[in-house]
Structure formats: structure tokens, C-alpha cells
Amino acid sequence: MPPPRVEPLAWTDPPLGEVVLPGATMRLTLGVGSGLARRPGDPPGRIWGIGDRGPNIKIAAAVQRYGLEHLRPLAGVDGAKVLPRPDLGPTLAELQVGAAGVELVRTLRLTTSDGRPLSGLPLPGSREADMEPAFDLDGRRLPADPYGADTEAVVALSDGSFWVAEEYGPSLLKVDAAGGVRRRWTAAGLDLPGAEAVLPARALERRLNRGFEGLAVSADERRLYVGFQSALQGAGPGSTLIWTLDAQTGALLAEHLYPFDPPASFTADEDVSQKDLKVCELVCVGEDRLLVLERVTKSARIYRVELSRPALTKTLVFSTDDAPEVAADLEGLALVSDRELILATDNDFGVEGAQTCFYRLSSDAPL
């Protein structure tokens, strides 16, 4: 059988504004490629995308690219990030895929139960707030936010609502059709206002910036599948976890160990170690059957994974090694038919000039 065919799709990142800085002007654009999903019953070609926490940049890049020399002392602060526009936060995007391109239909800013925009600031008292502090452009420490979220994945449900995975807590957000967060499931031991600590406490052992990264839902919408981007702290880095959860209660139904490919096999990236490997997206394609996006930066692979067997098995569906035209930082997958996927890269809101790239992946056989 021939490998799947890859077709680039036209798209232009909508602008969010400019920030004039000493060394260059930062041109911010909408991020939609951290996760993709399709809602059952939506019109043909209609999908949903989500960006992450909002524009953020590492200290070294802020100094080197934008001349923010006054931030140089923060280079020694472990995990420090600069948020140039803290007012920009987690947002859903409704998208229409056509024959040759993708168009933006509308955006939905996620909001709290009382209508305030959800921020991308770290949570208080979490490992993320302790280990990845956020600063503004003047170098001032930004306050933690108990309603903050670093959104990474989305599933769109038949009733118009969504589940969104975020990696700060990590936690799962139940979002209504208007973008309002109606429930938040956190791990036992993480106390947030209005949240339900129903997830296993082990979720708090996620590595820095490597929490919930992939999310999928079963066809009957009774089960959620959530993937950790990398191994938990203290676990061997050669694999990560995929959890099957009850979509009504958050109870853990099953735990699956997903083995990464050997680091040396990711030849498009240099000096790859096991800690660089990550799971970035999940898509449900059958009863306890998922498509899993495994990648480094330039190298990415999509595997069909069977969860029902005693040991998880993975079968290669697609590798960017066979399609070097696919850009780096592939993160979003949406199944639009049994033989067609839409792929998207993460532009990180354009803080370092990256653009979102969309692709259509077509197969001669069911995916």
C-alpha cells in the first residue's frame, strides 16, 4: 500500500497586534494548532482548534531576538518565561477546511463561570507555578492565577460542548458551547476554587511543561483518553502514560504504557535523547483504538495504537521522514473521514516568527 499523501493547505495566521521592542517588533498572531478536533454532525470540513496559554517566550530568546537586555538576570531562573501580552489567553477557534485551504470561522475565548477571560498564567501552589515562573516585559513577576490554564488539546462533543486538556495542573476543563468553563477536574492534592479533585494524584508528578498534551473521546462519548506528553518524574523516559477515564466521573478506568521509538531513529533532529520524545495528540478511531502523534521537533510520526491488548501495540501510519515538506512542531490532528486527517503545526503565537501550517493527509485505506 502506498504511504499516505500529504497536501499543504493555504492559511494565514490572523494578527493579534504588535509589540515594539528595542531589538525588533514582535508580531503576534492567533494560535490554533496546539490541538484539533471534529464534532460529530458538524458540516463537512468543519473542525475546531485550540492554542496554548497565550504568547510566551524564553528569556534567552527575549534577549537575543528582541534586545531585552534588562531581562538577562532572569536567565538563571529555572523555567522562566516572559508573557508579552498576559491579556491574551486560551482560545478556541472554529475552522472551515476547503479544497485547498483553511479559513477562520470564529474564535471563542475561554471564560470562567462568572464570565471573566481565562488567563494563561501559572496556577498557585502547583509545580508549574513553582518551576516555570512568568514575567512581564519589564521583568516583573506576574501573579499566579487559580483559574489559569495552559491549554493543549480539545475534543468537541455532540451536544456542542468541549473537553479541553491543559498541562499546568494538569487538569481537564469541561467547556460549554459559548466557551464557559463549567467543570474543572484536577488531581487529588491540587486545590483550586470550584475544581473537582477527581483525577489520580500521580498526575501531579508530571514533568515541567509536560502535563496533559493529548486528548480523545470514544465514539459513545463515555470515555476520555488523555496522554501525558512525557514520562512522569522518576519514571523511565522511554515511555509515557495514556489514561482511559470515565467521562462522567473522571475515574481512572485503565492505564496504558506508551513506548517511544529509539531517540536515534528521529534523524531529522540533532542530538535527540529520550527526554526529548513526546506525545502531542490523540485521536480515537475505534473501540480502544487511537492515533497517537509522537515527535521531537522536526521528526513526527503517527501511530495506530491498540489499547485493548495486554501490552499496547503501535503500528506506523505516517512519518514526516517520508514527507520532509511538513514543517516542524506538528501538534494538531483531526479526523475528517475514515481516510483523511487534517494536521496542524503550533506557531507559538508568532513570538519567534513561526506560522501555522495545515496539511491534508489522505490514505487509500481506513486510518
Side-chain angles (χ1 to χ4, degrees):
M1 182 187 306
R5 298 173 296 282
V6 180
E7 174 192 358
L9 297 170
W11 162 265
T12 301
D13 286 326
L16 294 178
E18 297 183 349
V19 182
V20 179
L21 299 170
T25 296
M26 181 184 292
R27 293 178 172 85
L28 302 177
T29 54
L30 182 67
V32 301
S34 288
L36 297 179
R38 174 164 168 78
R39 188 191 309 283
D42 266 0
R46 188 65 51 89
I47 62 174
W48 290 86
I50 196 164
D52 55 31
R53 75 188 88 172
N56 66 94
I57 189 169
K58 294 180 180 178
I59 301 300
V63 172
Q64 295 166 11
R65 187 179 182 94
Y66 293 106
L68 298 175
E69 288 292 334
H70 62 282
L71 298 179
R72 193 177 291 276
L74 296 176
V77 179
D78 190 23
K81 293 282 184 69
V82 174
L83 274 60
R85 287 280 306 274
D87 58 304
L88 300 176
T91 301
L92 284 162
E94 188 174 10
L95 307 167
Q96 181 64 42
V97 181
V102 180
E103 295 183 354
L104 178 67
V105 178
R106 59 172 173 150
T107 59
L108 285 177
R109 180 69 184 268
L110 299 193
T111 61
T112 62
S113 58
D114 58 0
R116 291 181 291 115
L118 211 65
S119 86
L121 294 170
L123 301 172
S126 72
R127 293 177 185 268
E128 193 76 15
D130 293 339
M131 298 177 66
E132 195 176 78
F135 297 86
D136 66 14
L137 286 168
D138 293 323
R140 295 184 296 248
R141 180 79 175 255
L142 292 167
D145 183 357
Y147 299 98
D150 185 5
T151 50
E152 294 289 351
V154 60
V155 293
L157 304 178
S158 56
D159 66 356
S161 65
F162 307 86
W163 278 106
V164 171
E166 70 86 27
E167 61 181 356
Y168 275 151
S171 64
L172 295 174
L173 312 177
K174 185 65 181 297
V175 178
D176 65 24
V181 176
R182 297 307 174 197
R183 302 180 74 180
R184 186 170 195 167
W185 288 349
T186 60
L190 179 61
D191 185 21
L192 297 177
E196 305 165 65
V198 298
L199 302 177
R202 291 180 65 204
L204 298 180
E205 299 170 16
R206 60 100 183 95
R207 285 170 48 194
L208 173 64
N209 202 33
R210 296 290 180 95
F212 291 159
E213 185 77 12
L215 183 65
V217 64
S218 61
D220 61 8
E221 301 185 352
R222 292 177 147 186
R223 297 181 306 285
L224 294 171
Y225 304 97
V226 60
F228 287 87
Q229 189 172 27
S230 298
L232 301 183
Q233 294 187 51
S239 60
T240 190
L241 294 176
I242 296 175
W243 282 350
T244 302
L245 304 174
D246 186 302
Q248 296 300 315
T249 67
L252 180 64
L253 302 178
E255 179 175 288
H256 316 276
L257 198 64
Y258 178 89
F260 289 119
D261 286 353
S265 69
F266 292 90
T267 55
D269 292 277
E270 298 179 358
D271 301 321
V272 180
S273 67
Q274 285 191 322
K275 66 180 178 60
D276 298 317
L277 307 179
K278 58 188 86 169
V279 161
C280 284
E281 184 75 297
L282 307 178
V283 177
C284 185
V285 292
E287 185 71 18
D288 283 336
R289 181 180 299 121
L290 303 178
L291 296 180
V292 176
L293 174 61
E294 176 181 344
R295 73 171 180 91
V296 184
T297 300
K298 298 177 181 177
S299 294
R301 293 159 190 176
I302 299 172
Y303 281 99
R304 184 184 304 108
V305 170
E306 301 286 349
L307 301 179
S308 58
R309 300 177 182 177
L312 180 150
T313 61
K314 48 191 278 193
T315 303
L316 184 65
V317 172
F318 171 73
S319 172
T320 57
D321 294 342
D322 301 321
E325 68 271 25
V326 175
D329 295 321
L330 196 63
E331 287 204 12
L333 302 180
L335 189 73
V336 293
S337 78
D338 67 341
R339 301 179 187 221
E340 187 175 304
L341 279 169
I342 301 301
L343 318 180
T345 62
D346 183 6
N347 72 347
D348 290 322
F349 292 87
V351 293
E352 296 190 59
Q355 298 179 349
T356 306
C357 297
F358 283 95
Y359 304 90
R360 178 183 285 109
L361 188 71
S362 303
S363 172
D364 289 337
L367 295 163

